[in-house]
Amino acid sequence: MNATYSNERGTRPDCAAGIRTLVIKVDRPAAPAPVGPAIICLEGARLNAVAAMLNSLDLDGRPQDNRIVVAMSGGVDSSVTAALLKAEGYDVVGVTLQLYDHGEATHRRGSCCAGQDIHDARLVAERMGIPHYVLDYESRFKEAVIDRFAESYVAGETPVPCVECNQAIKFRDLLDTARELGARALATGHYVASRRLPGGGAALFRAREEERDQSYFLFATTREQLDFLRFPLGDNTKAETRELARRFDLPVADKHDSQDICFVPTGRYTEVIERLLPGAAEPGDIVDLCGRVLGRHGGIIHFTVGQRRGLGIAAGEPLYVVRLDAAARRVVVGPREALATRRMRLRDVNWLGDGTIDDALAAGRLDVFVKVRSTRPPQPAWLARGPDGIVVDLVDGEEGVAPGQACVFYDAAEGQARVLGGGFIKSAASTVDVVAARDARVDSAATAARG
């Protein structure tokens, strides 16, 4: 396919020859649209500030000699990312992913990657005068993210679809497309920082603004991917980003942030699961920690670890979902203290620290700080290798830890700590389970001693 695009430097061959039908070119006016006063009036201190940011992406050569693909979701963050790089002189190409089309979702506040967002990304690209492409990834997204999300819930897990999307779509398929477009880097609007290491390569760090930090969702990024990725907003606050959007006169400056799970238009994820997997909501028993039946439920997909409301049973004390037994279709409930998790076994661990994870654990356990939910601060923990994989012991314990969630490692509890990697929780043992196992070992040893 010998498509062409037009920009302020004239018409030149597009590097998307290998994309074929995957790339859908968005119609653009013959002449670039006005880029707004914030770009054309870079005078005085503002001009000096932009000049100081030249080569901010740590690439060889002048900015104008480096093509950068920007993943444009249609929101304010990715739009500002594109505008900043354009103002610095980089050869910016905007790419938007069409991931789903649920009709209602395209008009729902807080949705992303749907029709309205594609339209907004196109408007921003036109305002800046940069080429813009829409890539149809609907089938790939359904297979790699939506279907796996449904299967995970049916298995009694609590999945994190944003991690799957970054891992399987944005930083793999989109990254490959960026290379085919001749880009030197793929830039996104994520609030996370990437910095070069003295010995080569890049490391991932938490964002400057703790409330906006998205490193939890990026732990599965590989070292090779980090070499190609750039995150220009990692040292920005959200307020600063919105102010930049206004200065660049972007039409999305005051657009609401995306919320919840992007492909669940109503916010009720069980409807999506039952539509994809009919019969997924099979009834079963609600039991206490001793296995006594307390009631019935309409499917474990309606429950998650830590849940208190909506159990549909009467008890003399507050009860919480402690774990889900998918094989037996049982919801296990107990008192709040039974939620305290002390040990986790992980799967699919990705190590981003120095050397290999075996090097890091050569002397035994490693002191780290971990997050088991994106909204919780890092907690002190020990990382070690167990008989069947990586094990994390939480110093103070955590409540509501569920299989399927991510466990992300950091080298510090506060500030822009370095991301050391992470994995998905395969199983979690509560304080009650750990104590019971310890007591059982003690009893067994005592019995053996009595002989």
Side-chain angles (χ1 to χ4, degrees):
M1 179 177 71
N2 293 318
T4 61
Y5 65 77
S6 298
N7 61 16
E8 71 276 14
R9 291 189 274 288
T11 301
R12 66 198 214 180
D14 186 5
C15 295
I19 307 302
R20 295 188 172 87
T21 58
L22 182 64
V23 174
I24 305 171
K25 185 176 178 182
V26 177
D27 293 333
R28 300 176 57 244
V35 295
I39 295 180
I40 63 176
C41 296
L42 294 171
E43 298 176 348
R46 184 133 170 74
L47 182 60
N48 292 335
V50 172
M53 290 191 296
L54 295 178
N55 300 310
S56 67
L57 298 186
D58 194 27
L59 295 170
D60 294 332
R62 301 174 303 167
Q64 56 265 41
D65 297 328
N66 287 286
R67 173 173 290 179
I68 308 299
V69 165
V70 177
M72 299 181 66
S73 67
V76 63
D77 300 325
S78 60
S79 297
V80 168
T81 296
L84 282 172
L85 298 181
K86 170 69 173 178
E88 291 179 40
Y90 288 100
D91 176 14
V92 177
V93 176
V95 172
T96 300
L97 304 183
Q98 180 177 320
L99 300 181
Y100 66 89
D101 182 7
H102 287 319
E104 180 183 355
T106 62
H107 301 99
R108 177 177 176 263
R109 177 180 296 179
S111 66
C112 75
C113 312
Q116 183 60 49
D117 299 291
I118 293 172
H119 173 73
D120 291 342
R122 178 190 299 133
L123 287 179
V124 171
E126 289 177 349
R127 177 67 57 88
M128 292 186 293
I130 64 172
H132 178 242
Y133 298 88
V134 176
L135 275 59
D136 185 354
Y137 281 9
E138 282 194 46
S139 60
R140 177 80 179 108
F141 184 74
K142 181 180 181 300
E143 173 189 348
V145 180
I146 300 179
D147 288 348
R148 292 183 65 176
F149 171 84
E151 293 164 0
S152 184
Y153 258 106
V154 171
E157 297 181 336
T158 302
V160 190
C162 291
V163 175
E164 298 283 0
C165 182
N166 289 327
Q167 185 179 26
I169 304 295
K170 293 179 181 176
F171 295 163
R172 187 170 68 184
D173 294 348
L174 177 56
L175 192 146
D176 288 343
T177 298
R179 286 196 171 103
E180 291 175 357
L181 285 167
R184 294 288 307 282
L186 170 65
T188 79
H190 286 102
Y191 285 89
V192 67
S194 174
R195 299 171 189 159
R196 294 286 141 188
L197 296 172
L204 200 63
F205 296 82
R206 297 184 69 196
R208 169 187 160 201
E209 186 174 28
E210 183 176 353
E211 293 77 10
R212 294 288 171 180
D213 174 57
Q214 294 175 294
S215 60
Y216 179 84
F217 302 105
L218 301 176
F219 80 86
T221 308
T222 67
R223 291 175 177 172
E224 180 183 7
Q225 291 167 345
L226 279 179
D227 286 340
F228 194 74
L229 290 166
R230 299 294 187 274
F231 308 102
L233 301 186
D235 293 317
N236 279 35
T237 66
K238 185 70 176 193
E240 290 169 346
T241 297
R242 287 204 181 274
E243 179 58 27
L244 283 169
R246 296 184 186 101
R247 292 182 183 180
F248 284 125
D249 194 27
L250 301 181
V252 295
D254 297 310
K255 184 176 180 178
H256 292 274
D257 292 334
S258 59
Q259 300 169 357
D260 302 322
I261 301 171
C262 68
F263 56 85
V264 183
T266 64
R268 294 188 290 272
Y269 65 88
T270 54
E271 293 180 353
V272 174
I273 296 172
E274 290 182 281
R275 186 173 68 249
L276 292 171
L277 300 172
E282 295 186 75
D285 292 328
I286 300 176
V287 303
D288 64 13
L289 295 173
C290 296
R292 291 189 294 265
V293 177
L294 304 180
R296 295 281 290 174
H297 65 77
I300 64 171
I301 65 172
H302 297 285
F303 300 87
T304 187
V305 173
Q307 179 178 334
R308 176 184 173 186
R309 299 183 183 278
L311 300 184
I313 57 176
E317 62 176 339
L319 295 177
Y320 301 78
V321 176
V322 175
R323 59 179 172 267
L324 300 172
D325 185 347
R329 301 197 302 275
R330 297 196 309 175
V331 175
V332 182
V333 298
R336 182 168 182 172
E337 53 265 28
L339 288 174
T341 296
R342 300 304 295 262
R343 180 171 297 162
M344 299 174 291
R345 288 192 303 134
L346 306 184
R347 61 174 172 82
D348 301 326
V349 172
N350 181 52
W351 180 250
L352 293 174
D354 295 333
T356 67
I357 192 167
D358 288 334
D359 294 335
L361 300 178
R365 66 186 188 182
L366 177 69
D367 290 344
V368 294
F369 295 86
V370 303
K371 291 182 71 168
V372 294
R373 287 191 179 179
S374 63
T375 55
R376 294 184 181 177
Q379 299 293 325
W382 295 297
L383 191 66
R385 184 173 293 282
D388 53 356
I390 299 299
V391 175
V392 175
D393 286 312
L394 297 162
V395 175
D396 301 318
E398 273 276 18
E399 288 188 353
V401 177
Q405 292 174 331
C407 176
V408 183
F409 323 140
Y410 300 88
D411 69 353
E414 299 177 341
Q416 291 190 266
R418 181 178 175 182
V419 182
L420 299 177
F424 292 100
I425 299 172
K426 184 175 182 180
S427 65
S430 69
T431 302
V432 173
D433 295 329
V434 172
V435 171
R438 181 195 64 195
D439 291 345
R441 288 195 299 269
V442 171
D443 290 342
S444 176
T447 300
R450 288 194 297 268

